[in-house]
Protein backbone atom coordinates (compact mmCIF):
# COMPACT_ATOMS: atom_id res chain seq x y z
CA UNK A 1 0.00 0.00 0.00
CA UNK A 2 1.14 3.52 -0.80
CA UNK A 3 -0.06 6.69 0.90
CA UNK A 4 0.58 10.17 -0.50
CA UNK A 5 0.82 12.75 2.27
CA UNK A 6 0.87 16.53 1.92
CA UNK A 7 3.23 18.59 4.07
CA UNK A 8 1.85 22.03 5.03
CA UNK A 9 -1.28 21.72 7.13
CA UNK A 10 -0.89 17.97 7.04
CA UNK A 11 2.41 16.68 8.41
CA UNK A 12 2.97 20.02 10.16
CA UNK A 13 0.80 23.05 10.81
CA UNK A 14 0.59 25.49 7.92
CA UNK A 15 3.36 28.12 8.13
CA UNK A 16 4.76 28.28 4.58
CA UNK A 17 7.45 29.22 3.66
CA UNK A 18 8.68 28.19 7.11
CA UNK A 19 8.16 24.70 8.48
CA UNK A 20 5.12 24.57 10.72
CA UNK A 21 4.72 23.05 14.15
CA UNK A 22 4.41 19.39 15.07
CA UNK A 23 0.77 18.24 14.95
CA UNK A 24 1.24 14.54 15.79
CA UNK A 25 1.84 13.09 12.34
CA UNK A 26 5.31 11.62 12.80
CA UNK A 27 4.34 8.75 15.11
CA UNK A 28 1.48 7.70 12.84
CA UNK A 29 3.77 7.83 9.79
CA UNK A 30 6.46 5.77 11.51
CA UNK A 31 3.81 3.20 12.50
CA UNK A 32 2.60 3.05 8.89
CA UNK A 33 6.13 2.38 7.63
CA UNK A 34 6.53 -0.37 10.27
CA UNK A 35 3.40 -1.98 8.80
CA UNK A 36 4.99 -1.94 5.33
CA UNK A 37 3.18 1.11 3.97
CA UNK A 38 5.10 3.23 1.45
CA UNK A 39 4.85 6.95 2.17
CA UNK A 40 5.18 9.52 -0.58
CA UNK A 41 5.69 13.14 0.38
CA UNK A 42 3.24 14.82 -1.98
CA UNK A 43 3.61 18.58 -1.72
CA UNK A 44 3.59 21.80 -3.73
CA UNK A 45 6.90 22.76 -2.11
CA UNK A 46 9.93 22.93 -4.36
CA UNK A 47 13.60 23.94 -4.25
CA UNK A 48 14.87 24.85 -0.77
CA UNK A 49 11.32 24.72 0.61
CA UNK A 50 11.05 21.10 -0.47
CA UNK A 51 14.47 20.45 1.06
CA UNK A 52 13.11 21.80 4.37
CA UNK A 53 10.15 19.40 4.22
CA UNK A 54 12.36 16.41 3.40
CA UNK A 55 14.71 17.37 6.24
CA UNK A 56 11.75 17.55 8.64
CA UNK A 57 10.73 14.03 7.62
CA UNK A 58 14.28 12.76 8.06
CA UNK A 59 14.67 14.50 11.43
CA UNK A 60 11.41 12.88 12.54
CA UNK A 61 12.52 9.45 11.30
CA UNK A 62 9.82 9.18 8.64
CA UNK A 63 11.14 6.94 5.87
CA UNK A 64 9.95 8.26 2.52
CA UNK A 65 9.33 5.94 -0.41
CA UNK A 66 9.11 8.87 -2.79
CA UNK A 67 9.15 12.64 -2.96
CA UNK A 68 6.53 14.03 -5.34
CA UNK A 69 6.82 10.80 -7.32
CA UNK A 70 5.99 7.14 -6.99
CA UNK A 71 9.15 5.18 -7.90
CA UNK A 72 7.06 2.19 -9.00
CA UNK A 73 4.75 4.23 -11.26
CA UNK A 74 6.30 3.06 -14.51
CA UNK A 75 2.98 2.59 -16.31
CA UNK A 76 2.20 6.29 -16.70
CA UNK A 77 4.08 9.52 -17.30
CA UNK A 78 1.30 11.57 -15.70
CA UNK A 79 2.32 14.27 -13.24
CA UNK A 80 -0.29 12.91 -10.85
CA UNK A 81 1.42 10.65 -8.35
CA UNK A 82 -0.32 7.32 -7.89
CA UNK A 83 -1.16 6.35 -4.30
CA UNK A 84 -3.81 4.12 -2.76
CA UNK A 85 -4.73 6.83 -0.23
CA UNK A 86 -4.02 10.55 -0.05
CA UNK A 87 -3.94 12.50 3.20
CA UNK A 88 -4.27 16.22 2.56
CA UNK A 89 -5.72 19.05 4.62
CA UNK A 90 -7.37 20.37 1.45
CA UNK A 91 -9.14 17.09 0.68
CA UNK A 92 -12.89 16.97 1.16
CA UNK A 93 -13.62 14.81 4.18
CA UNK A 94 -10.15 14.90 5.71
CA UNK A 95 -10.59 15.40 9.48
CA UNK A 96 -9.26 18.77 10.58
CA UNK A 97 -8.84 20.51 13.88
CA UNK A 98 -8.34 24.10 14.88
CA UNK A 99 -5.99 25.41 17.54
CA UNK A 100 -5.05 29.08 17.25
CA UNK A 101 -2.06 28.42 19.55
CA UNK A 102 -0.61 26.21 16.83
CA UNK A 103 -1.84 27.76 13.58
CA UNK A 104 -4.23 30.33 12.20
CA UNK A 105 -5.45 27.71 9.73
CA UNK A 106 -7.07 24.32 10.38
CA UNK A 107 -4.76 21.30 10.13
CA UNK A 108 -5.08 17.53 9.94
CA UNK A 109 -6.31 15.78 13.07
CA UNK A 110 -3.91 12.85 13.38
CA UNK A 111 -5.85 11.23 16.22
CA UNK A 112 -8.81 10.86 13.86
CA UNK A 113 -6.54 9.81 10.96
CA UNK A 114 -5.03 7.06 13.12
CA UNK A 115 -8.53 5.83 14.02
CA UNK A 116 -9.57 5.83 10.36
CA UNK A 117 -6.45 3.83 9.42
CA UNK A 118 -7.11 1.37 12.24
CA UNK A 119 -10.76 0.99 11.22
CA UNK A 120 -9.63 0.14 7.67
CA UNK A 121 -7.10 -2.42 8.98
CA UNK A 122 -4.13 -0.43 7.70
CA UNK A 123 -2.75 0.21 11.19
Amino acid sequence: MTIGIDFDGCLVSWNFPLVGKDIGSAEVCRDLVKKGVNIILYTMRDKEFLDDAVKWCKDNKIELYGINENPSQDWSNSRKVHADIYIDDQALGCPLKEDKNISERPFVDWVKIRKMLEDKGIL
Side-chain angles (χ1 to χ4, degrees), residues 56-105:
W56 185 90
C57 291
K58 183 176 181 177
D59 290 349
N60 284 275
K61 299 176 177 43
I62 299 171
E63 182 181 331
L64 298 174
Y65 177 68
I67 301 165
N68 286 333
E69 70 172 353
N70 182 331
S72 61
Q73 186 177 327
D74 57 1
W75 44 267
S76 172
N77 290 323
S78 172
R79 293 185 338 167
K80 182 176 180 181
V81 174
H82 171 75
D84 300 298
I85 295 172
Y86 300 91
I87 301 173
D88 192 323
D89 61 305
Q90 299 298 308
L92 182 66
C94 186
L96 301 177
K97 65 190 278 184
E98 293 188 48
D99 184 336
K100 298 294 183 189
N101 294 318
I102 295 175
S103 176
E104 290 297 313
R105 292 174 58 165

Side-chain angles (χ1 to χ4, degrees), residues 2-3 11 17 22 33 37 46 52 92:
T2 301
I3 299 180
L11 286 176
D22 180 19
V33 171
V37 173
D46 66 353
D52 292 342
L92 182 66

Side-chain angles (χ1 to χ4, degrees), residues 30-62:
R30 288 190 298 267
D31 289 349
L32 285 166
V33 171
K34 285 180 195 171
K35 288 281 192 175
V37 173
N38 294 320
I39 293 179
I40 295 174
L41 178 63
Y42 193 39
T43 178
M44 293 288 298
R45 285 179 173 246
D46 66 353
K47 301 177 184 165
E48 69 272 13
F49 307 114
L50 179 58
D51 293 342
D52 292 342
V54 171
K55 181 182 183 315
W56 185 90
C57 291
K58 183 176 181 177
D59 290 349
N60 284 275
K61 299 176 177 43
I62 299 171

